Amino acid sequence: MDTPLLEFKSLVKKFGDKTILDGINLSIPEGKMTAVIGKSGTGKSVMLKHVARLIEPDSGDIYYKGTSFGSLKGKKKKKLKDKFSYMFQHNALFDSYTLFDNVALPLIETTSLNPKKIEKKVLAILEQLELAEFRNNFISQLSGGMQRRVALARALVTDPEVVLFDEPTTGLDPIRRNSVFDLISKYQRKLGFTSIIVSHDIPDAFYVSDFVAILEEGKIIFSGSPLELEQQTDPLIHKLLKSHDLLIDQLSGLKDPLDFKLEIQNKLDSNQESNASFILIRLMDFSEIVKSVGEIASQHIMKTLGNSIKDIFDHPSALSSKISRSQILTYISPSGHVEDLDRKLASLKERLDNNTIFCKDEIQYRTPNFSIFYQIIPVTEMSNIGDFSFKKEKLKPLLEMNCKTNP
């Protein structure tokens, strides 16, 4: 196996009595973009500052191509530090300096290059980042996006092997946040440097990363590719990845899908509820509804459906969860005394039929006709909740909606 570019080994850092990093072990691949993600305040930036040698560990070490950071002294230590560059959270540019002077500053302060060589290096990086024509502008004369590029140019002008990005999208609106991720990804591919980006913008950071590490309570709880991350079933990782979907589920009063599956699987494994049933409710042609009225309106429809199901089947022994974008599964335990499923379904149909959310004035002329179907599944037909997939031929119509009352 190739030696990783960077390797954290049992790294520990405390501030007073509080342990921030509790034995970090992590390998960073060379020439790739690695995202270190996690909730705010978990120590991501502290971890990054150890790489930049702004903080020294209490114990443990970081290795660069097999060489211990802690073993280096004097010129060797400085030579290693020169391989790293740092792009600060809020750019940290000097308003009183021109764009050119901001980018030249690291070369002036850390090298012995003469002014002509500094000018040549600065202009080369400005050309690469499409900033050369603005070299004499002051920072206040530049847009927010251009200021980000200036900060990146300053980080790259020393030809670092590794660029560290500390929460580069903090405080930005979604459009600017996407622009920053696109900027970092574009030039990382173009110039080939290794990058480490710490962020709590999940899942945005996944889309530009080759490798992902999750930091939680001072420990790395996952490291691997974004595709490997997506297959994880750990409840904490699931909640980090699915925060948007979980919010929608919570607003509909439904259980978290993973919690639902674990709880139901425990019931199935106990073999104590052989008379229980599942009811699958499916909104047909959901993708067509999204195309017609948009994602938010479509999710309002699913939220209304979820709230209605929750209210109609509300009982301590009845559990409901959205198991896909357009399907809600309800488990009905025999101990819940919910015997008249047809009556319950009739009540659900009546409630939905009278609910105007499906045909609100602002969406009714764009909404196609759509149908809600159901299927009752005896628990004996489902040995594993994770293996369940609906069979279209077994679905029965529950409700037909026609919102297009006017041409």
Side-chain angles (χ1 to χ4, degrees), residues 381-400:
E381 292 185 14
M382 193 184 299
S383 59
N384 189 312
I385 186 70
D387 295 338
F388 175 73
S389 60
F390 81 99
K391 294 182 179 178
K392 194 169 182 177
E393 64 272 13
K394 290 188 176 182
L395 291 171
K396 300 177 182 178
L398 178 69
L399 187 69
E400 298 282 340

Side-chain angles (χ1 to χ4, degrees), residues 277-295:
S277 298
F278 289 93
I279 298 178
L280 174 73
I281 305 290
R282 177 174 170 83
L283 180 62
M284 302 299 286
D285 300 321
F286 187 73
S287 60
E288 292 302 315
I289 298 171
V290 173
K291 288 180 184 178
S292 298
V293 299
E295 185 71 37

Side-chain angles (χ1 to χ4, degrees), residues 269-313:
D269 291 343
S270 68
N271 294 318
Q272 295 177 356
E273 301 197 350
S274 57
N275 293 325
S277 298
F278 289 93
I279 298 178
L280 174 73
I281 305 290
R282 177 174 170 83
L283 180 62
M284 302 299 286
D285 300 321
F286 187 73
S287 60
E288 292 302 315
I289 298 171
V290 173
K291 288 180 184 178
S292 298
V293 299
E295 185 71 37
I296 294 176
S298 301
Q299 293 298 344
H300 272 297
I301 293 174
M302 284 304 296
K303 184 174 80 170
T304 299
L305 183 58
N307 279 320
S308 299
I309 290 170
K310 177 80 164 49
D311 290 344
I312 295 298
F313 293 98

Side-chain angles (χ1 to χ4, degrees), residues 57 71 79 125 138 140 160 189 234 281 304 311 357 381 400:
S71 68
K79 189 175 181 180
I125 196 67
F138 287 93
S140 60
R189 292 195 304 271
D234 179 274
I281 305 290
T304 299
D311 290 344
I357 186 68
E381 292 185 14
E400 298 282 340

